[in-house]
Amino acid sequence: MNTVTLGPEGTYSHRAASVTAADEIEFRQSVTTIVDAVAAGDHDRGVIPIENSIEGSVTESLDALADYDVAVVREIVTPIRHALLAQSEGFDTIASHSQALAQCRTYLERNYPDVTLEAVASTAKGVELARDDHSIAGIGHPANADGDLAVLAEDIQDQDSNATRFFAIAPAAERSKGGGKTSLVVYPNANYPGLLLELLEPFADRDINLSRVESRPSGRRLGDYVFHVDIEAGLYESRTKEAIEDIEDIAENGWVRRLGSYDIEHVVE
């Protein structure tokens, strides 16, 4: 099995991808290219970040799941332990992924108010820059330090409970009905008072818990939205089937995509 995820080697995505039993892990620089590669059948699995407990959803991932027909086959939750890595204290720039910088905002403002913050493609890219340049520090997992870098501070994230959800995705043909959670993408192609309530009521009426509901612009016109819904029930359940049938009636001018049912795996360091 070959898996593709965000690179370079050493990203949190790479850590999450390591649990997919992949014979080979390849790297891309954007979520969209990962989802595209899996949808085209070029890779067996892709691992993409979906949501961080501090900074919220990863919008590129949501948009890609709406644009491509793929299956979600597993949710992987990994704790995020950020460390400040540098050759020495003599740096004037801290480079990391924008979400990592945001997740460490309090620490950085308190300890390095005059240092330049530079957003780069990934945490691993920031560490790579720090390894090549003594004037740059990176933020990443402490395991990314080696002989060239020192761990100047550990657990610098604003919240100890910091964690990120990743989706393991597969070609659409591998979509499963079995699992404790299900993800849907709903495009009602409509906008009127009470629409969102109508979309949620079929779940409430059947005692199905909604663990996440989020809207994203459809891109077709201003005020037109796609809804991402995670529920705590499997597609194999009759109550789930009935709820989705009701939603398809409401979204008769649009569409409902079943991304699949799956279970959760926690990656412990």
Side-chain angles (χ1 to χ4, degrees):
M1 179 183 294
N2 58 74
T3 297
V4 59
T5 193
L6 290 171
E9 184 176 352
T11 61
Y12 284 98
S13 294
H14 184 201
R15 295 176 68 82
S18 67
V19 306
T20 62
D23 300 314
E24 181 183 5
I25 297 178
E26 296 183 17
F27 301 105
R28 297 289 185 272
Q29 294 303 309
S30 76
V31 167
T32 303
T33 57
I34 293 169
V35 179
D36 177 69
V38 173
D42 297 334
H43 289 81
D44 301 313
R45 294 289 184 271
V47 173
I48 60 173
I50 288 295
E51 181 182 17
N52 177 262
S53 59
I54 296 177
E55 287 301 302
S57 295
V58 181
T59 55
E60 184 186 3
S61 296
L62 299 183
D63 293 343
L65 290 175
D67 291 340
Y68 292 88
D69 188 17
V70 294
V72 175
V73 295
R74 186 188 304 184
E75 178 179 312
I76 303 164
V77 178
T78 181
I80 304 298
R81 290 189 57 215
H82 287 317
L84 186 65
L85 310 175
Q87 296 182 32
S88 67
E89 283 282 1
F91 58 84
D92 54 29
T93 300
I94 297 175
S96 194
H97 191 276
S98 58
Q99 283 225 347
L101 293 172
Q103 292 161 20
C104 302
R105 184 180 295 111
T106 300
Y107 172 85
L108 297 176
E109 289 177 349
R110 181 174 63 245
N111 294 279
Y112 298 98
D114 299 323
V115 168
T116 299
L117 304 181
E118 180 181 347
V120 293
S122 67
T123 55
K125 180 62 177 179
V127 173
E128 184 180 290
L129 293 172
R131 188 174 287 114
D132 294 337
D133 189 337
H134 69 87
S135 69
I136 298 175
I139 294 175
H141 193 279
N144 287 332
D146 54 23
D148 297 325
L149 293 176
V151 179
L152 302 184
E154 290 192 48
D155 295 320
I156 63 174
Q157 62 274 5
D158 291 348
Q159 302 290 336
D160 291 338
S161 59
N162 190 12
T164 294
R165 298 170 63 218
F166 295 85
F167 275 167
I169 60 173
E174 296 189 42
R175 188 171 293 124
S176 173
K177 295 182 179 180
K181 292 184 70 175
T182 298
S183 288
L184 308 167
V185 184
V186 181
Y187 176 55
N189 194 19
N191 184 17
Y192 54 83
L195 171 61
L196 182 57
L197 178 61
E198 287 186 17
L199 293 173
L200 301 183
E201 280 182 333
F203 299 113
D205 291 344
R206 294 169 176 84
D207 199 31
I208 297 175
N209 188 47
L210 296 167
S211 57
R212 182 173 65 93
V213 179
E214 188 154 357
S215 62
R216 289 287 301 153
S218 70
R220 296 189 176 191
R221 55 187 177 271
L222 190 64
D224 192 47
Y225 294 97
V226 173
F227 295 94
H228 293 260
V229 181
D230 292 347
I231 62 173
E232 294 181 355
L235 285 170
Y236 69 94
E237 299 182 55
S238 58
R239 60 176 182 160
T240 306
K241 297 176 185 176
E242 293 168 359
I244 294 176
E245 288 173 358
D246 286 353
I247 292 171
E248 287 178 325
D249 288 340
I250 297 168
E252 61 179 347
N253 295 322
W255 46 260
V256 177
R257 178 174 298 155
R258 299 159 177 81
L259 294 178
S261 297
Y262 50 86
D263 291 318
I264 306 173
E265 181 167 351
H266 292 265
V267 177
V268 180
E269 299 171 68

